Amino acid sequence: DIEMTQSPSSLSASVGDRVTITCQASRDITNYLNWYQQKPGKAPKLLIYDASNLEAGVPSRFRGSGSGTDFIFTISSLQPEDIATYYCQQYDNLPITFGQGTRLGIK
Amino acid sequence: VQLVQSGAEVKKSGASVRVSCKASGYTFTDFYIHWLRQAPGQGPEWMGWINPKSGGTKYTQKFQGRVAMTRDRFITTAYMELSRLGSDDTAIYYCAIQVGRNAFDIWGQGTLVTVSS
């Protein structure tokens, strides 16, 4: 199975800050990576697909980049509604696997 | 496009549970239905998929022999049955589909399954 390792596991930032989350795959997954946002009591919501493509309706402050084994998820200017847990997910190989999540809070 | 799941379940260890996922707003046979689960404080875990057109399935090895995914095309509903439940099966179970990209862009609301001894 491909292991997905996210860093950090949690972080706090101020409104307006730039936030960066990293995701590392245990082997090359090309760009077969997606990013999700999950708020308490809700299903995950797709934000970024194929490493860098913004899902329709998702604010442009969210951005994804990377390929191979190393990926970055960025929020350019943190907003209060961005408080959530974020997950990366690979689909290069079955079984589909997710990172353990990054819990984002407000300072 | 919507997926609506059945309600919460409480089961004893060793029992089985069946969760349903009613699809609407699209042609049921167009997209595989995936099942995932999320234990408390953990990331989602993919369990497998069912092809609604053929009924063919693919399960992750972890659940082989213990999970069965089925569907009823006439009522556009998919089912996931998990047997021999243990306390570590306590989780929220989701169905999800990939509409137009290789990502889970439509999710059910989730079904909490609690396993007690």
Side-chain angles (χ1 to χ4, degrees):
Chain A
D1 298 3
I2 296 177
E3 186 173 344
M4 307 301 292
T5 304
Q6 284 183 237
S7 181
S9 57
S10 66
L11 75 112
S12 291
S14 299
V15 173
D17 281 357
R18 181 183 184 87
V19 170
T20 298
I21 298 169
T22 64
C23 178
Q24 185 170 60
S26 59
R27 61 177 189 261
D28 190 335
I29 58 170
T30 322
N31 69 328
Y32 298 150
L33 182 107
N34 304 315
W35 288 97
Y36 299 84
Q37 175 194 67
Q38 187 175 32
K39 296 185 177 180
K42 299 292 188 182
K45 174 187 174 184
L46 177 66
L47 299 181
I48 304 285
Y49 64 95
D50 296 345
S52 61
N53 294 295
L54 194 66
E55 175 72 341
V58 174
S60 59
R61 63 180 180 274
F62 295 100
R63 184 173 178 271
S65 63
S67 66
T69 60
D70 295 300
F71 300 86
I72 296 173
F73 173 81
T74 303
I75 306 174
S76 60
S77 177
L78 184 67
Q79 300 302 302
E81 61 267 29
D82 300 336
I83 300 314
T85 301
Y86 293 84
Y87 295 98
C88 59
Q89 170 243 317
Q90 68 80 24
Y91 62 92
D92 177 68
N93 217 334
L94 292 181
I96 292 167
T97 49
F98 289 77
Q100 82 280 12
T102 296
R103 182 172 293 185
L104 177 57
I106 292 279
K107 271 185 190 173
Chain B
V1 178
Q2 196 174 12
L3 301 172
V4 178
Q5 298 182 223
S6 49
E9 303 264 12
V10 178
K11 295 291 182 180
K12 294 283 193 185
S13 290
S16 298
V17 68
R18 190 174 84 155
V19 179
S20 67
C21 173
K22 167 72 175 176
S24 62
Y26 71 97
T27 301
F28 183 64
T29 52
D30 277 355
F31 307 114
Y32 286 20
I33 292 181
H34 296 254
W35 288 92
L36 306 94
R37 75 178 189 180
Q38 189 170 27
Q42 308 280 327
E45 177 179 28
W46 180 76
M47 300 176 70
W49 53 248
I50 181 166
N51 178 342
K53 182 178 289 186
S54 67
T57 56
K58 175 74 172 179
Y59 305 139
T60 192
Q61 190 167 5
K62 175 176 177 176
F63 298 104
Q64 286 277 3
R66 207 161 68 90
V67 71
M69 296 177 189
T70 58
R71 94 294 188 216
D72 184 329
R73 291 171 61 171
F74 300 103
I75 58 170
T76 66
T77 299
Y79 303 92
M80 187 285 300
E81 182 166 6
L82 189 63
S83 60
R84 303 192 301 278
L85 291 169
S87 58
D88 56 352
D89 292 315
T90 293
I92 298 173
Y93 289 76
Y94 293 100
C95 57
I97 59 174
Q98 302 173 330
V99 175
R101 56 188 100 269
N102 288 313
F104 301 116
D105 44 9
I106 303 293
W107 295 69
Q109 83 275 21
T111 297
L112 175 63
V113 175
T114 303
V115 182
S116 65
S117 52

